[in-house]
Amino acid sequence: MDQIREKHFSNPRLHPSNLSQSQSQSNQWQRWAPLAGAGALAVLAATRKSKTGVALALTGGLLAHYFTNGAGTPAKFHAQASFALNTTPDKAYRMWRNFENLPLFMRHLESVTVKGDRRSQWTAIGPLGRQVTWEAEIVDEKNDEWIIWRSLPGSDLSNTGSVEFHTAPGGRGTIVTAVMDYEPPAGAIGRAFATMLGKNPQFALREDLRRFKALLEAGEIPTIEGQPHGPRSTLVKAIHAVYPEKRKPTESTAREFVAAERRA
Amino acid sequence: MKAICWMGVEKMKVEDVPEPRILNPRDAIIRITSTCICGSDLHLYDGYIPTMEQGDILGHEFMGEVVEVGPGISREKLKAGDRVVIPFTIACGHCFFCEQQLWSCCDNTNPNAWIAENFFGYSPSGLFGYSHMTGGYAGGQAQYARVPCADIGPLKIPEGLTDEQVVFLSDIFPTGYMAAENCNIRPGDTIAIWGCGPVGQFAIRSAIMLGAGRVIAIDNVPERLRMAEQGGAETINYDEVDNVVQLLKDLTGNRGPDSCMDAVGLEASGHTLPFIVDRVKQGMRLSTERPNVLRQAILACRKGGTLSIPGVYGGFADKIPLGSLMNKGLTVKTGQTHMMRYMKPLLERIQRGEIDPTFVISHRLPIDQGPEAYKIFRDKQDHCTKVVLKPWEDGARAA
Ligand SMILES: NC(=O)c1ccc[n+]([C@@H]2O[C@H](COP(=O)([O-])OP(=O)(O)OC[C@H]3O[C@@H](n4cnc5c(N)ncnc54)[C@H](O)[C@@H]3O)[C@@H](O)[C@H]2O)c1
Ligand SMILES: [Zn+2]
Ligand SMILES: [Zn+2]
């Protein structure tokens, strides 16, 4: 399944069967294709085994690791989603590359603080509204094309992510593909996390990308939160209590984002 | 403020609710001066559109004055004091679909797109007051409304035009017009239109504007049939004939109308056996639609003709004569109206005096009488053809 998706997500210009492009590009692609598609999975698989596993993976052995372990083996909390964006890859890349923008469209994140070119501090809202923080680093990236990051060893919620942007067929905008993998900690907290993430990580990621798309294209994320309504029935109230929409900092932050885009 | 809320099937109520406020940078707040009840609202009234929640504010045909504009909109686009008509579809203006003027297919205005995806595969645009599947946006049968993406939708109204002349640019005039355009009319064509409600009425007049040679309109409500005749159509009262399809064949020398339009939608009435089966299934919520008009339209249409479906459907329909559709090589055109394509050109037609949309209005009522007005409109009591509600008129005072 992942292999099939991988094939469809791949940038056709860079695909090995389409080698009309420059050699360097195709080399890059062959080297990183699995990473961009399902590489985070491999990284996660590696972290699980040992630290040397990570090192091996990150120094180029990843490809071998990835293929020998079988790309089809799903990790515990693996999600992959893809959206067509009506923008150019560089614009989409720029928006994502500033990790401080991520909480604008990723529901489970409260904040990300960039601490250097590659390091960042992440705060998520965990089970029962508890804050969980970790430090992440960018593992590798290619300007305007892809970014791969992971949490540093020892994090509460060990996780990896990758995102890829490529021009859609016929030049019709950009396809963004994101892959996320989480490894919750052991113990009660971990189990609570598992319940939270396990519900439908695929769904959560897809909705994150949908909001990313709206923010890029429309400059804002559609919402009805805070609009008036008449008296709700007990049933409707109960449903809203079970699925509370996290209050998003739409107004002020999205405004800043739009202003920044206009300046750029 | 006052707002008409959906409190359950056949239970609309005027409630006192908080005033809306700006939630997103491209929002505007409108003080509503006129608002209408649409045939689409009747599907909500009768409970055939899923994902309504008790307390939802209804209404998607409204206009008024801008009172507040979000920080994401420049003053040249929209400012407080502008008098505007609001289209019922909400469109971002920047996505793949908006760029192709497929406004009602906008990708970025439905906060519940995933629900619509479960029903439809992909999500259409957000709509005002039309269930949570299309966004759950509070509607405009109220004194104020929040309008998202207000730099794209609202149409500024020049001086010298009354509310009643322009308020139908919010939906039914563009809807009737797009439905006629979807008939692929060539000069002299014969067009059959099922449904002489407000949408059908504007479709009849638009078909003639677009060069139809003959329009045959079908309904069973005498005053609506009369109004259709005044608009230039020949009419069929389906209560008075056994077989509408056969009659259409006879009227067209066994060729059939070049285009057939279903301006009735999922609550079609009828007398036939398949209709009775539909009615029972829909009543038991085994099926969402009663598609007997759609069936007739498919069967009646000439070979190689076009089917235009402005009538709203929400789910799955049974016993659609696909064999007829396929073997006759019909073209099907449908959709929620791509409003922003039509509002400006149709405003110009109104200004040039080519059409006076006020002909369709039968009732002007204060908003407090909204709940009764739903019933009057649905049951076609009191020769009701279209209701315009006044949100600021005192209910007690008005007749
Ligand atoms: N596509 C869009 O964007 C859009 C916009 C507005 C309305 N609509 C839809 O258009 C349809 C009509 O809207 P309206 O405001 O005119 O509603 P309406 O309820 O006033 O009109 C429907 C008419 O159809 C007639 N009818 C019922 N059964 C019939 C049958 N078997 N044969 C012939 N006529 C029959 C009724 O007597 C009535 O006059 C509704 O389904 C509405 O939801 C679609
Ligand atoms: Zn309507
Ligand atoms: Zn759009």
Side-chain angles (χ1 to χ4, degrees), chain A residues 86 203 207 210 213-214 217-218 220-233 236 240 250-251 255 262, chain B residues 7 15 17-18 23-26 53-56 71 94-96 99 107-108 111 113-114 117 135-138 146:
Chain A
N86 199 17
F203 175 80
E207 294 309 302
R210 200 194 296 284
K213 171 184 163 74
E217 293 181 353
E220 62 185 31
I221 294 161
T223 186
I224 58 165
E225 216 191 318
Q227 73 174 11
H229 56 77
R232 298 292 197 195
S233 66
V236 170
H240 285 249
T250 39
E251 200 178 331
R255 192 192 318 159
R262 294 225 172 97
Chain B
M7 301 303 287
E15 295 281 353
V17 304
L23 299 175
N24 256 341
R26 295 169 63 198
E53 289 178 6
Q54 182 185 311
D56 286 348
H94 303 288
C95 69
F96 174 79
E99 281 189 352
D107 252 350
N108 294 320
W114 65 276
E117 284 185 354
Y137 287 100
R146 162 191 168 235

Side-chain angles (χ1 to χ4, degrees), chain A residues 86 217-218, chain B residues 26 90-99 102-103 105-109 125 149 152:
Chain A
N86 199 17
E217 293 181 353
Chain B
R26 295 169 63 198
I90 304 169
C92 82
H94 303 288
C95 69
F96 174 79
F97 298 96
C98 285
E99 281 189 352
L102 294 168
W103 303 101
C105 299
C106 173
D107 252 350
N108 294 320
T109 51
S125 74
C149 299
I152 299 295

Side-chain angles (χ1 to χ4, degrees), chain A residues 103-104 110 246-255:
Chain A
L104 285 175
E110 181 137 296
K246 193 192 133 204
R247 183 157 288 281
K248 295 308 287 181
T250 39
E251 200 178 331
S252 53
T253 23
R255 192 192 318 159

